[in-house]
Amino acid sequence: MRICVIYESVTGNTRMLAEVIQKKYADMLTENPQEADVIFLGSWTDKGSFSEKMREQAEKIRGKKVFIFGTCGFGGSREYYERLFERAAALLDGSNEIIGHYYCQGKMPLSVKERYVFMLQEHPEDKRMQASLENFEEALTHPDQKDLDRLSELLDELKLA
Ligand SMILES: Cc1cc2nc3c(=O)[nH]c(=O)nc-3n(C[C@H](O)[C@H](O)[C@H](O)COP(=O)(O)O)c2cc1C
């Protein structure tokens, strides 16, 4: 069985997940998606979905087993992760079989925090902005070792290797 990992990571969070996958299947990897049986498709989250580049990649895949993974800034909500997964899954052609998915939180650039702080200075009572700032701090340590271990366990359950 051949495995191909296709992903985009701008600041390195999604790459951390991709590296867990690449390490797990080191002797089964191919760089050519055409000759892969299983494609691991990963993206950072851009405006609530796969990045533009990964959307294009997703739409091209035909007849493969596909595992979707990604990181996003907003954590703490399983529903949000599920929604992101469903949006990514909807990009795939019906000839593919989705075999699993994994999302976790990923740290965001400092510029995001600066924007929150600025907006809180303007509107100190803004509860949504307060929650966003708390979420920013929470995200700073992710993906952490626990996130990576959880992915690794999920891969073991797939029994591909
Ligand atoms: C332009 C931009 C848009 C983003 N949009 C979202 C979003 O809609 N939802 C979310 O949860 N995180 C969003 N994020 C946060 C990133 O998806 C998150 O930090 C991710 O872990 C980055 O992954 P990477 O390090 O692999 O690039 C956004 C980040 C940027 C820079």
Side-chain angles (χ1 to χ4, degrees):
M1 183 180 288
R2 310 299 299 275
I3 288 173
C4 185
V5 186
I6 308 172
Y7 70 98
E8 185 181 40
S9 178
V10 179
T11 61
N13 296 330
T14 311
R15 180 179 307 121
M16 290 169 76
L17 304 188
E19 283 171 356
V20 169
I21 299 164
Q22 287 165 332
K23 199 167 154 209
K24 179 83 66 182
Y25 304 118
D27 48 7
M28 299 161 77
L29 293 178
T30 173
E31 290 194 358
N32 181 358
Q34 301 293 351
E35 62 180 38
D37 306 287
V38 182
I39 294 183
F40 284 80
L41 197 63
S43 181
W44 59 288
T45 301
D46 185 6
K47 297 181 240 45
S49 189
F50 258 28
S51 69
E52 191 181 346
K53 184 174 158 199
M54 288 313 301
R55 284 202 295 273
E56 284 169 16
Q57 290 287 330
E59 285 164 2
K60 281 195 265 182
I61 301 171
R62 297 284 182 277
K64 305 290 183 187
K65 291 185 192 304
V66 180
F67 184 103
I68 290 169
F69 67 99
T71 61
C72 58
F74 300 115
S77 153
R78 191 133 298 280
E79 293 75 39
Y80 186 62
Y81 294 158
E82 288 301 312
R83 213 176 319 143
L84 293 178
F85 159 63
E86 277 161 21
R87 279 184 202 147
L91 301 167
L92 290 170
D93 184 76
S95 61
N96 299 293
E97 180 196 349
I98 297 170
I99 59 167
H101 65 279
Y102 182 74
Y103 269 87
C104 74
Q105 198 172 17
K107 64 192 98 49
M108 290 170 281
L110 202 60
S111 55
V112 172
K113 177 178 179 172
E114 286 165 356
R115 189 154 43 86
Y116 294 154
V117 169
F118 176 78
M119 281 157 83
L120 270 174
Q121 278 164 355
E122 303 284 301
H123 307 282
E125 301 306 318
D126 186 336
K127 292 268 184 294
R128 254 189 63 191
M129 211 42 70
Q130 289 167 7
S132 296
L133 187 56
E134 277 168 28
N135 176 74
F136 178 92
E137 302 294 347
E138 161 71 28
L140 281 178
T141 55
H142 293 276
D144 62 15
Q145 193 56 47
K146 226 170 131 184
D147 297 325
L148 303 180
D149 289 348
R150 216 175 290 133
L151 171 60
S152 178
E153 285 164 20
L154 205 56
L155 298 180
D156 290 340
E157 286 168 19
L158 292 177
K159 301 201 187 312
L160 297 177

